[in-house]
Amino acid sequence: MNTARGPHSVALVMIARDEARCIERALHSLRPHVQRMLVLDTGSRDDTVSLARAAGAEVQRFAWCDDFAAARNRALELADADWNLVVDADEWLIAGGAAIEALQHQRPMHLGQLRIHSGFGDGTQEHISWLTRVLPRGVRYQGRIHEQPESPVPRVRLGIQLGHDGYSQAQLALKRGRNRTLLLAERDAHPEDPHVWLHLGKDHETYGEHADAATCYRAAWLRSQPGAPYRHDLLVRLLHCLGQSGGLDEALVLAGEAMDEWGGSPDYHFVLGNLLLDWSTQHPEQALDQGLPMARAAWERCLEIGERPDLDGSVTGRGSHLAAHNLAVIHEGLGQGEQAAHYRRLAQRLRA
């Protein structure tokens, strides 16, 4: 644990329950960079508590009350630090230890956002999120699930990156249905909050319920404000789920309307290319002249833009090897072997 002290204290703050699988990884990765680690256990039945203590954390108990904000706020109260680094047990530090230590010499006048890398699918892709996780003393959460810190002070992106494996198939199977009741209660309590609809949509999408996810994402989109950072992730998810649930025409209209706002996003163009390929399948008589050239142009635009990890909700590869792979497939399907070989080599090189 970092014993060199600046004028401001830095604490790791975590709530946990039955996280013996991963809590040591999280605590060991961050221990060198903070002065204190506070774990609030909400009812573990495995070895979470003993493992956390052995890793150097102070462990306190909390009676679970179906309210994540209440647990987070109790943990923040107990940590009692100038800066609070909020981390989940299934996360770990992959970059930015020096940035954590630098907080000791910074006055707590902003909230800090971290870059979270969440592996999904077969583990070869990552979803990038920017989440507000560094909180000055006194900031508290609101919301019983997918809680958000409430504060008028500015949010600043920090050079801290965390890995996250909570979206692996094994972990999703364990979590299935766990959050749905809380999300529905939050929706009923706050029906005009776009964040609630967004997270309810994510819960549906996670388990392949694309039509229900599209309904929730549509509700979030209609309630969201232009310029909100989460709109990038929301739009891409909405377009994908519409395409997967019989709403292809609606998705293409929405994509056209959103071009000005998100034309610089490889994720937007990647999903647009997928939609246009689906449209070509449904309209074979117009595929060669319209659908396929437009899909190809969308994926070429992905390569022109490149990766954009600064965009919330971006997926690694859509600005590089995934787009190149799709271009190889489409050229191969058109019998254009030389172009297909070029893009296969490019995909391999970009993925390396």
Side-chain angles (χ1 to χ4, degrees), residues 135-153:
L135 310 182
R137 183 193 302 275
V139 174
R140 295 294 184 263
Y141 282 92
Q142 290 186 6
R144 74 189 75 193
I145 187 169
H146 295 295
E147 59 287 355
Q148 300 293 321
E150 294 294 322
S151 174
V153 303

Side-chain angles (χ1 to χ4, degrees), residues 200-280:
L200 184 56
K202 288 182 180 181
D203 194 69
H204 283 297
E205 184 184 0
T206 294
Y207 299 106
E209 300 161 359
H210 293 109
D212 290 332
T215 297
C216 294
Y217 290 148
R218 188 187 296 110
W221 183 257
L222 294 173
R223 290 162 173 80
S224 65
Q225 295 296 319
Y230 64 85
R231 269 171 67 94
H232 175 259
D233 188 30
L234 171 57
L235 173 68
V236 172
R237 289 177 180 275
L238 174 54
L239 294 177
H240 170 71
C241 288
L242 284 170
Q244 294 293 307
S245 59
L248 181 59
D249 291 341
E250 180 185 351
L252 289 170
V253 170
L254 177 58
E257 295 171 348
M259 172 70 79
D260 289 342
E261 185 176 5
W262 296 114
S265 161
D267 300 86
Y268 162 82
H269 288 284
F270 187 86
V271 173
L272 176 59
N274 292 346
L275 295 172
L276 289 166
L277 182 62
D278 291 341
W279 185 90
S280 299

Side-chain angles (χ1 to χ4, degrees), residues 32-323:
H33 310 293
V34 298
Q35 284 82 49
R36 184 185 183 195
M37 299 191 297
L38 187 287
V39 173
L40 188 67
D41 186 78
T42 63
S44 292
R45 293 167 292 182
D46 63 7
D47 293 331
T48 294
V49 170
S50 60
L51 292 171
R53 285 178 175 151
E58 173 189 345
V59 179
Q60 298 286 347
R61 306 281 188 167
F62 181 81
W64 181 243
C65 58
D66 287 339
D67 189 326
F68 280 90
R72 298 262 190 219
N73 291 339
R74 178 56 177 159
L76 289 168
E77 178 186 356
L78 291 167
D80 192 31
D82 297 320
W83 289 105
N84 297 280
L85 173 61
V86 179
V87 178
D88 289 336
D90 57 3
E91 298 170 342
W92 66 96
L93 183 70
I94 58 176
I100 299 173
E101 295 174 25
L103 293 169
Q104 300 172 57
H105 305 282
Q106 299 176 22
R107 293 180 62 192
M109 300 183 65
H110 61 265
L111 278 66
Q113 294 185 321
L114 313 185
R115 196 164 105 184
I116 313 295
H117 297 248
S118 300
F120 68 94
D122 61 0
T124 62
Q125 293 177 254
E126 289 184 337
H127 182 275
I128 306 298
S129 301
W130 287 91
L131 301 180
T132 303
R133 295 287 198 82
V134 177
L135 310 182
R137 183 193 302 275
V139 174
R140 295 294 184 263
Y141 282 92
Q142 290 186 6
R144 74 189 75 193
I145 187 169
H146 295 295
E147 59 287 355
Q148 300 293 321
E150 294 294 322
S151 174
V153 303
R155 286 160 166 77
V156 176
R157 288 186 172 183
L158 306 178
I160 303 169
Q161 299 181 43
L162 301 181
H164 171 235
D165 66 0
Y167 294 152
S168 69
Q169 292 300 317
Q171 294 308 303
L172 289 176
L174 292 173
K175 296 176 184 177
R176 188 177 183 95
R178 186 186 70 180
N179 294 337
R180 186 73 57 88
T181 299
L182 294 180
L183 283 165
L184 291 173
E186 196 73 355
R187 178 204 61 187
D188 293 342
H190 305 283
E192 295 305 313
D193 186 343
H195 287 96
V196 175
W197 287 103
L198 171 60
H199 288 295
L200 184 56
K202 288 182 180 181
D203 194 69
H204 283 297
E205 184 184 0
T206 294
Y207 299 106
E209 300 161 359
H210 293 109
D212 290 332
T215 297
C216 294
Y217 290 148
R218 188 187 296 110
W221 183 257
L222 294 173
R223 290 162 173 80
S224 65
Q225 295 296 319
Y230 64 85
R231 269 171 67 94
H232 175 259
D233 188 30
L234 171 57
L235 173 68
V236 172
R237 289 177 180 275
L238 174 54
L239 294 177
H240 170 71
C241 288
L242 284 170
Q244 294 293 307
S245 59
L248 181 59
D249 291 341
E250 180 185 351
L252 289 170
V253 170
L254 177 58
E257 295 171 348
M259 172 70 79
D260 289 342
E261 185 176 5
W262 296 114
S265 161
D267 300 86
Y268 162 82
H269 288 284
F270 187 86
V271 173
L272 176 59
N274 292 346
L275 295 172
L276 289 166
L277 182 62
D278 291 341
W279 185 90
S280 299
T281 301
Q282 294 183 13
H283 302 84
E285 71 286 355
Q286 301 177 66
L288 289 177
D289 293 333
Q290 296 184 40
L292 294 179
M294 293 172 69
R296 185 175 66 242
W299 292 323
E300 288 171 348
R301 181 64 179 137
C302 292
L303 295 176
E304 292 171 3
I305 296 170
E307 300 285 7
R308 289 287 308 273
D310 58 301
L311 293 175
D312 188 57
S314 64
V315 172
T316 56
R318 286 178 173 170
S320 59
H321 65 89
L322 295 176

Side-chain angles (χ1 to χ4, degrees), residues 277 287-289 291-293 296 327-337 339-340:
L277 182 62
L288 289 177
D289 293 333
L292 294 179
R296 185 175 66 242
L327 286 165
V329 171
I330 202 169
H331 281 293
E332 192 170 60
L334 292 171
Q336 299 166 346
Q339 293 96 322

